[in-house]
Amino acid sequence: MSQTSCSEEPLKSIFVALTFLISAPTWAGTSYPKLAEKGFTSAKICGECHEAIYQGWKESMHANAVKDPIFYPIFLEASQRTAGKSDALCLSCHSPTTRITKKYDLDDPLNSEGITCDFCHSVKEVRLNEPDPFVIEKDKKKWGPLKDIESPFHGIGFAPHFEQSAFCAGCHEYKNEKGVPILETFSEWKGSQQAREGKDCQSCHMPPIQGLPVPPRVKPVKEIYINSHEAVGGHSIEQVKKAVTVKIVEMKRSGEKIHGVVRLVNVGSGHKVPTGMPTRRLVLSLKVQAGGTSVYSEERVFQKILLNPKGEKITKDSDVFLDADKILQDNRLKPGETREEHFTFFAPSDRPLEVETSVYYLYQPRLIQETEMHMELGREKVVLPTGRGK
């Protein structure tokens, strides 16, 4: 599920995850990292060996999936509306270890790690036809995409889903109890040219970068290609910028009547633009000026619009998951799609026109912000006469 053009370099041979081979570590005077005997190991422990991967993950939206200031208000609103019943649903993806622990306290250190290393690398298999698609084997065996490797710290198992979009689909594809598709990124990708070419989500969202799988103090190794764990997507301005191009392909005058054509192309995304939350929008703007004065402007919005059972448009993120009853429209740009938008307007024929078009990504989440509470509790004013005559 991409928002950027992918590298042609084959992912199969260079995908390196937390299960990279470590042999003959040289922890002089220190003890080996201690993995949890039961439950999940903190990402901080994983980072003691896999420093580069950990640092990339630490700055990612996966690592901040619970701390994200956009997610937190949505979680609180939904939790309040449902008396806590929605907590398990929200955290099943934003802090997926809760699928096993059944602990939903956001202050819990493990929960606060969001989509943590040990959850993904405890997934032995993905079964998308099951209510919970992630098959977890919880012990000291870590699963990954590499074969015939060993580690003195934990067992290692090979699992092909680490190179497949189905792994991402466990969270980036969701239908509610009424069967209304809320998140469709995986389905959108399945119909893309990228999918036909064998480019999975990881090809673009976890591209290979050069780095050390472990630091020299663990084992002297050469730099190799390590797949980025930053998992950049819709929260990355640079990533989103690569998705769509806009161009004025025609602008004709006939007296005071002007007809124009603007072309939009989804050039870099292996899914629809925008994807994910239906409250995200793509907006095409056309502005026309004559001598510095605006004579015409119009915006066209590309979005999936959901309705609640009352037939009202859903505008809040928390309501999307709780109230969606049907899809009113979905005019988002498909992967690789070219869309031509026609505009007809009138302007004075005796003046030159300046026509400008732009396309932008628009998302207006509710945020919790610090604000000052200033309440005046009383006021009194006196006037003193002059001191003359005394």
Side-chain angles (χ1 to χ4, degrees):
M1 296 169 285
S2 161
Q3 291 200 352
T4 181
S5 298
C6 303
S7 167
E8 296 298 323
E9 191 164 6
L11 188 63
K12 302 288 183 182
S13 62
I14 56 179
F15 193 106
V16 178
L18 292 177
T19 50
F20 186 82
L21 169 63
I22 303 174
S23 62
T26 56
W27 290 76
T30 63
S31 59
Y32 289 164
K34 186 174 178 57
L35 278 63
E37 294 292 337
K38 295 182 180 180
F40 293 95
T41 297
S42 168
K44 295 177 182 178
I45 302 298
C46 304
E48 291 185 26
C49 285
H50 303 284
E51 288 183 353
I53 294 173
Y54 173 74
Q55 290 301 323
W57 166 86
K58 189 178 178 182
E59 303 302 320
S60 72
M61 284 306 302
H62 280 175
N64 292 281
V66 168
K67 303 170 187 175
D68 176 29
I70 293 176
F71 166 74
Y72 190 59
I74 300 171
F75 177 82
L76 292 181
E77 288 177 346
S79 184
Q80 184 178 31
R81 278 193 54 187
T82 63
K85 293 180 180 179
S86 62
D87 294 5
L89 171 62
C90 297
L91 294 179
S92 66
C93 284
H94 281 261
S95 183
T97 54
T98 59
R99 294 170 182 253
I100 304 299
T101 66
K102 307 301 180 185
K103 297 178 180 179
Y104 307 111
D105 180 3
L106 295 188
D107 292 327
D108 180 277
L110 182 64
N111 291 351
S112 68
E113 290 188 0
I115 303 165
T116 191
C117 313
D118 202 17
F119 175 79
C120 290
H121 290 277
S122 293
V123 177
K124 179 181 180 180
E125 188 179 349
V126 176
R127 300 173 182 171
L128 294 182
N129 58 332
E130 299 290 335
D132 187 341
F134 300 119
V135 179
I136 302 293
E137 183 171 295
K138 194 69 228 79
D139 55 21
K140 286 190 175 181
K141 189 173 187 178
K142 308 306 172 189
W143 296 86
L146 303 179
K147 298 178 179 179
D148 303 322
I149 58 175
E150 296 179 354
S151 166
F153 301 150
H154 54 73
I156 295 178
F158 168 74
H161 62 258
F162 281 86
E163 298 175 328
Q164 300 169 352
S165 295
F167 194 15
C168 309
C171 284
H172 292 274
E173 187 82 7
Y174 173 72
K175 289 183 180 180
N176 66 11
E177 294 178 351
K178 296 182 179 180
V180 179
I182 308 299
L183 307 176
E184 301 180 86
T185 309
F186 176 67
S187 295
E188 295 160 11
W189 167 84
K190 285 200 297 184
S192 70
Q193 181 63 33
Q194 284 88 337
R196 290 189 288 273
E197 294 174 356
K199 294 178 182 176
D200 288 87
C201 308
Q202 295 89 334
S203 301
C204 293
H205 292 283
M206 298 185 72
I209 56 176
Q210 279 193 308
L212 293 173
V214 292
R217 62 182 173 77
V218 177
K219 180 178 175 60
V221 293
K222 295 181 180 180
E223 279 197 348
I224 61 170
Y225 280 102
I226 303 172
N227 281 78
S228 168
H229 279 63
E230 294 178 6
V232 291
H235 288 74
S236 166
I237 295 175
E238 293 305 315
Q239 189 85 337
V240 175
K241 278 183 177 180
K242 299 174 184 177
V244 176
T245 60
V246 61
K247 182 178 178 60
I248 298 173
V249 295
E250 182 179 282
M251 200 61 60
K252 291 184 178 179
R253 301 185 73 153
S254 178
E256 294 186 342
K257 184 177 181 180
I258 297 95
H259 177 259
V261 180
V262 176
R263 178 178 296 153
L264 289 172
V265 185
N266 180 348
V267 294
S269 177
H271 46 66
K272 290 185 179 181
V273 177
T275 192
M277 289 296 292
T279 48
R280 298 173 181 177
R281 288 168 281 177
L282 189 71
V283 182
L284 174 65
S285 171
L286 187 75
K287 296 180 180 180
V288 184
Q289 289 190 334
T293 301
S294 176
V295 295
Y296 176 78
S297 65
E298 183 179 349
E299 289 190 338
R300 296 184 182 176
V301 179
F302 306 91
Q303 178 188 12
K304 180 166 72 173
I305 298 177
L306 301 177
L307 301 179
N308 65 20
K310 296 180 181 180
E312 301 166 333
K313 293 182 182 179
I314 297 175
T315 59
K316 289 173 57 179
D317 286 338
S318 58
D319 294 344
V320 164
F321 287 91
L322 300 178
D323 298 334
D325 186 63
K326 63 176 64 175
I327 297 174
L328 175 64
Q329 73 167 43
D330 185 355
N331 64 344
R332 297 173 296 157
L333 268 66
K334 298 176 182 178
E337 180 181 1
T338 296
R339 185 86 57 87
E340 291 191 344
E341 293 290 319
H342 293 251
F343 297 85
T344 300
F345 55 93
F346 296 86
S349 59
D350 58 348
R351 289 191 289 174
L353 301 178
E354 183 179 282
V355 182
E356 181 183 45
T357 189
S358 63
V359 62
Y360 61 93
Y361 172 86
L362 180 62
Y363 182 39
Q364 297 171 298
R366 295 162 64 92
L367 300 176
I368 295 178
Q369 295 181 328
E370 182 178 301
T371 186
E372 180 183 272
M373 181 179 289
H374 183 97
M375 299 172 63
E376 185 174 285
L377 301 181
R379 184 188 292 263
E380 184 180 11
K381 184 177 182 180
V382 298
V383 178
L384 294 178
T386 68
R388 296 178 180 177
K390 292 186 179 180

Coordinates of all heavy atoms in Angstrom, one line a residue, residues 250-260 288 295-296 342-351 353 355:
E250 N -6.2 22.1 -20.6 CA -7.0 22.9 -21.6 C -7.6 24.1 -20.9 O -8.1 24.0 -19.8 CB -8.1 22.0 -22.2 CG -8.9 22.8 -23.3 CD -9.9 21.9 -24.0 OE1 -9.5 21.0 -24.8 OE2 -11.1 22.0 -23.6
M251 N -7.6 25.3 -21.6 CA -8.3 26.4 -21.1 C -8.6 27.3 -22.3 O -7.8 28.0 -22.9 CB -7.4 27.2 -20.1 CG -8.1 28.1 -19.2 SD -9.4 27.4 -18.1 CE -8.3 26.3 -17.1
K252 N -9.9 27.2 -22.7 CA -10.3 27.9 -23.9 C -11.4 29.0 -23.6 O -12.2 28.8 -22.8 CB -10.9 26.9 -24.9 CG -9.9 25.9 -25.5 CD -10.6 25.0 -26.5 CE -9.6 24.0 -27.2 NZ -10.2 23.1 -28.2
R253 N -11.2 30.1 -24.4 CA -12.2 31.2 -24.2 C -13.1 31.3 -25.4 O -12.7 31.0 -26.6 CB -11.5 32.5 -24.1 CG -10.5 32.6 -22.9 CD -10.0 34.0 -22.7 NE -11.0 34.9 -22.2 CZ -10.6 36.0 -21.5 NH1 -9.4 36.3 -21.3 NH2 -11.6 36.8 -21.1
S254 N -14.4 31.5 -25.2 CA -15.3 31.8 -26.3 C -16.1 33.0 -25.8 O -17.2 32.8 -25.1 CB -16.2 30.6 -26.5 OG -17.2 30.9 -27.6
G255 N -15.6 34.2 -26.1 CA -16.3 35.4 -25.5 C -16.0 35.4 -24.0 O -14.9 35.4 -23.6
E256 N -17.1 35.6 -23.3 CA -17.0 35.6 -21.8 C -17.1 34.2 -21.2 O -16.9 34.0 -20.0 CB -18.1 36.4 -21.2 CG -18.0 37.9 -21.6 CD -19.0 38.8 -20.9 OE1 -20.0 38.2 -20.4 OE2 -18.8 40.0 -20.8
K257 N -17.2 33.2 -22.0 CA -17.4 31.8 -21.5 C -16.0 31.1 -21.6 O -15.4 31.1 -22.7 CB -18.4 31.0 -22.3 CG -18.7 29.6 -21.8 CD -19.8 29.0 -22.6 CE -20.1 27.6 -22.1 NZ -21.1 26.9 -22.9
I258 N -15.6 30.5 -20.5 CA -14.3 29.8 -20.5 C -14.6 28.3 -20.1 O -15.3 28.0 -19.2 CB -13.3 30.4 -19.5 CG1 -13.0 31.8 -19.9 CG2 -12.0 29.6 -19.5 CD1 -13.8 32.9 -19.3
H259 N -13.9 27.4 -20.9 CA -14.0 26.0 -20.5 C -12.6 25.5 -20.3 O -11.7 25.7 -21.1 CB -14.6 25.2 -21.7 CG -14.7 23.7 -21.4 ND1 -13.7 22.8 -21.9 CD2 -15.5 23.0 -20.6 CE1 -14.0 21.6 -21.5 NE2 -15.1 21.7 -20.7
G260 N -12.4 24.8 -19.1 CA -11.1 24.3 -18.8 C -11.1 22.8 -18.4 O -12.2 22.3 -17.9
V288 N -9.4 31.8 -10.5 CA -9.2 32.6 -11.7 C -9.3 34.1 -11.2 O -10.2 34.5 -10.5 CB -10.3 32.4 -12.7 CG1 -10.1 33.2 -14.0 CG2 -10.4 30.9 -13.0
V295 N -12.4 36.4 -10.0 CA -13.6 36.4 -10.8 C -14.3 35.0 -10.8 O -15.4 34.8 -11.1 CB -13.3 36.7 -12.3 CG1 -12.9 38.2 -12.4 CG2 -12.3 35.8 -12.9
Y296 N -13.5 34.0 -10.3 CA -14.1 32.6 -10.2 C -13.2 31.8 -9.3 O -12.0 31.8 -9.4 CB -14.2 32.0 -11.6 CG -14.8 30.6 -11.6 CD1 -16.1 30.3 -11.4 CD2 -13.9 29.5 -11.7 CE1 -16.6 29.0 -11.4 CE2 -14.4 28.2 -11.7 CZ -15.7 28.0 -11.6 OH -16.2 26.7 -11.5
H342 N -13.7 18.9 -15.6 CA -14.1 20.0 -16.5 C -14.7 21.1 -15.7 O -15.6 20.9 -14.8 CB -15.1 19.4 -17.5 CG -14.5 18.5 -18.5 ND1 -14.2 18.7 -19.8 CD2 -14.0 17.2 -18.3 CE1 -13.7 17.7 -20.4 NE2 -13.6 16.7 -19.5
F343 N -14.3 22.3 -16.1 CA -14.8 23.5 -15.4 C -15.3 24.5 -16.5 O -14.7 24.7 -17.5 CB -13.7 24.2 -14.6 CG -13.2 23.5 -13.5 CD1 -12.2 22.5 -13.7 CD2 -13.7 23.6 -12.2 CE1 -11.6 21.8 -12.6 CE2 -13.1 22.9 -11.1 CZ -12.1 22.0 -11.4
T344 N -16.5 25.1 -16.3 CA -17.0 26.1 -17.2 C -17.4 27.3 -16.3 O -18.1 27.2 -15.3 CB -18.3 25.6 -17.9 OG1 -17.9 24.4 -18.7 CG2 -18.8 26.7 -18.8
F345 N -16.9 28.5 -16.7 CA -17.2 29.7 -16.0 C -17.2 30.9 -16.9 O -16.8 30.8 -18.1 CB -16.2 29.9 -14.8 CG -14.8 29.9 -15.2 CD1 -14.1 31.1 -15.5 CD2 -14.0 28.7 -15.4 CE1 -12.8 31.1 -15.9 CE2 -12.7 28.7 -15.8 CZ -12.1 29.9 -16.0
F346 N -17.6 32.0 -16.4 CA -17.7 33.3 -17.2 C -16.8 34.3 -16.6 O -16.6 34.4 -15.3 CB -19.1 33.8 -17.2 CG -20.0 32.8 -17.9 CD1 -20.6 31.8 -17.3 CD2 -20.2 33.0 -19.3 CE1 -21.5 30.9 -17.9 CE2 -21.1 32.1 -20.0 CZ -21.7 31.0 -19.3
A347 N -16.1 35.1 -17.4 CA -15.2 36.2 -17.0 C -15.2 37.2 -18.1 O -15.5 37.0 -19.3 CB -13.8 35.6 -16.7
P348 N -14.9 38.5 -17.7 CA -14.8 39.6 -18.7 C -13.9 39.2 -19.9 O -12.8 38.7 -19.7 CB -14.3 40.8 -17.9 CG -14.6 40.5 -16.5 CD -14.5 39.0 -16.4
S349 N -14.3 39.4 -21.1 CA -13.6 39.0 -22.3 C -12.5 40.0 -22.7 O -11.6 39.7 -23.5 CB -14.5 38.8 -23.5 OG -15.2 40.1 -23.8
D350 N -12.5 41.2 -22.0 CA -11.6 42.3 -22.4 C -10.4 42.3 -21.5 O -9.6 43.3 -21.6 CB -12.3 43.6 -22.4 CG -12.9 44.0 -21.1 OD1 -13.0 43.1 -20.2 OD2 -13.3 45.2 -20.8
R351 N -10.2 41.4 -20.6 CA -9.1 41.4 -19.7 C -8.4 40.0 -19.7 O -9.1 39.0 -19.8 CB -9.5 41.7 -18.3 CG -9.9 43.2 -18.1 CD -10.1 43.5 -16.6 NE -11.2 42.9 -16.0 CZ -11.5 43.0 -14.7 NH1 -10.7 43.6 -13.9 NH2 -12.6 42.4 -14.3
L353 N -6.7 36.7 -18.2 CA -7.0 35.9 -17.0 C -5.8 35.1 -16.5 O -5.0 34.6 -17.3 CB -8.2 34.9 -17.3 CG -9.5 35.5 -17.8 CD1 -10.5 34.4 -18.0 CD2 -10.1 36.5 -16.7
V355 N -5.1 31.8 -14.4 CA -5.8 30.6 -13.9 C -4.8 29.8 -13.1 O -3.7 29.5 -13.6 CB -6.4 29.8 -15.0 CG1 -7.1 28.6 -14.5 CG2 -7.3 30.7 -15.9

